[in-house]
Amino acid sequence: MTKTRDILDEDEKIDVLLACRPVYNRGQDVAAIQLLLEQNGGDQGASLSDLEHSSPVILGTYASLFQNGRVEAVPTFLRVSEEVVLAPQLTALPKKQYILEIPGDLLLTSDLVERLRGLARRGYRLALADYDPDDDELDVLLDVVHIVKVNTRQLDRDGVRRAAERLRRHGVEMLADRLDDRGAFRHCVELGFDYYQGDFLRAPEPVKGKKIAGNKLLLLQLLSELHSPDASPARLEEIAIKDAQLTWRILRTVNSAAMGLRREVNSISHAIALLGLDEIRRWANLFLVEGAPEKPEALTRDMLVRGRMCEALSELCDRANPVDHFIVGLLSQLDALLDIGMPELMEQVPLSQDVKAALLQRAGGLGEILTEVEAYQAGRFDALRLLGDRRYYEVAYRHSVAWARQVQQAMSPD
């Protein structure tokens, strides 16, 4: 694989840190993305300067994803400042691609409300964040905005129910925000919310005694052999060909555009000769985390992004064994994918003690990189410590998002 620094040095660097949070529909497909930007003045939204410099990156990379067998563009929630709302003319923002999010604590002057009405008449989609059903002053906006976000962490269940009932009477679309577990998600589905946001997909619902099943057991055999110091191409091929479908998919994937090979790979041993054991180990782990039928593609996508960004940061920090950082990032949400607790999973998966310590306790150098990537994905940019030039974080993340899209295409059975 080309060295990460060489790849990232070729990409344009911007002065704003960006990360994305998915917005899901009821089927848990991604219906939109929420853009998180580093703000010098707190959580007041993007400035005109931010929008001007970052919009090409947003539309070119972050708003494009692979799901349901194809690459598709989704709209972007963008929290905007009062400066943007009151600006005489908005920076070139495609109306179909952006949903302008208004902070719930913005001072509602008559000028501001009239400006929002004008934006809505001109075709801009507007969202109101942090709706409080007990704040009657917000009612003036309920006939102006198109989507209202309810922060489910700030309200108890009765408060969320009252918010849903009140919003339904106004005919706006409802988004349940800050959903931390699948129980909260199911509750909001029952209340009729249209969209859902939060970390509920990352939260496992462990089933006691559940084991890794299906052809993933064969993958574990393959991984165990790959981690053996005596691993040989012949032995690896002997394990893989026990499942013809698995062998075909490995070869199909490594021959895809995501790998950039100039000659066709026609056997597992041939793949090892061309790519090396580390690259085969990478792809065996990719197939291990491939989504279960009942799990949304968004979870696999997030795992891929995290794995690749851990690897990228490890190379930028000159850490040893970048592939181990990739595996740590990739497997850090395997418990949510398989609904098996992480301690129990670690007893079933053949990994080194350093990798297991990083996954269980965020310990050691592997855990340090994983913690850094988790902070970036959550938009906690003030927690970043490792890179001197902070612009590399955004470029590494952008590269990881694009890489994950390519890999999902390559792994797709279609």
Side-chain angles (χ1 to χ4, degrees), residues 21 79 128-133 148-164 167 174-200:
R21 292 175 63 212
R79 182 168 285 209
L128 172 65
D130 300 321
Y131 174 71
D132 182 352
V148 175
K149 302 178 71 171
V150 177
N151 188 330
T152 62
R153 279 189 202 158
Q154 292 181 346
L155 302 173
D156 58 19
R157 282 204 165 197
D158 183 63
V160 174
R161 179 189 56 77
R162 288 188 293 108
L167 294 173
M174 303 184 299
L175 190 156
D177 195 11
R178 306 290 180 178
L179 297 171
D180 295 323
D181 57 66
R182 290 185 229 170
F185 166 70
R186 287 191 288 267
H187 175 64
C188 288
V189 169
E190 292 171 0
L191 291 175
F193 278 83
D194 302 283
Y195 304 109
Y196 310 86
Q197 196 168 7
D199 292 332
F200 62 96

Side-chain angles (χ1 to χ4, degrees), residues 388-403:
D389 187 343
R390 287 163 59 86
R391 295 178 301 171
Y392 273 108
Y393 284 106
E394 189 280 325
V395 181
Y397 180 70
R398 191 195 321 166
H399 164 76
S400 300
V401 169
W403 181 86

